[in-house]
Amino acid sequence: MSSADRLEEQARALAACTARLRRILADLGEAAPPWLSVSIDAHLTACAVAAHDLTRAAHHLRALDEPPLSGG
């Protein structure tokens, strides 16, 4: 498994974590204390940013693996 593959795997894990957090918040509904809603929202944001960064890094690593274009 390449480094880019590992980064994409981690991005998918973060997406799964995001889905679980959303489900927890939805299941709690109005019973969720405000502090928990704020905390989950912060974690959702952090997961989204990290997943985006990991995906970008994987894309850059894959670009480095491509052979350079010939100047033809």
Side-chain angles (χ1 to χ4, degrees):
M1 178 180 275
S2 72
S3 294
D5 291 336
R6 285 188 183 98
L7 291 174
E8 288 174 339
E9 182 180 4
Q10 292 301 310
R12 286 189 298 274
L14 284 168
C17 180
T18 298
R20 286 191 303 273
L21 286 171
R22 287 186 196 283
R23 199 167 37 251
I24 289 168
L25 197 54
D27 288 348
L28 289 172
E30 295 295 319
W35 63 266
L36 182 60
S37 297
V38 169
S39 178
I40 288 177
D41 190 48
H43 279 82
L44 290 171
T45 300
C47 285
V49 170
H52 173 76
D53 290 347
L54 288 168
T55 301
R56 265 188 87 197
H59 174 76
H60 288 296
L61 284 174
R62 289 195 196 292
L64 290 173
D65 284 342
E66 294 176 7
L69 297 175
S70 61

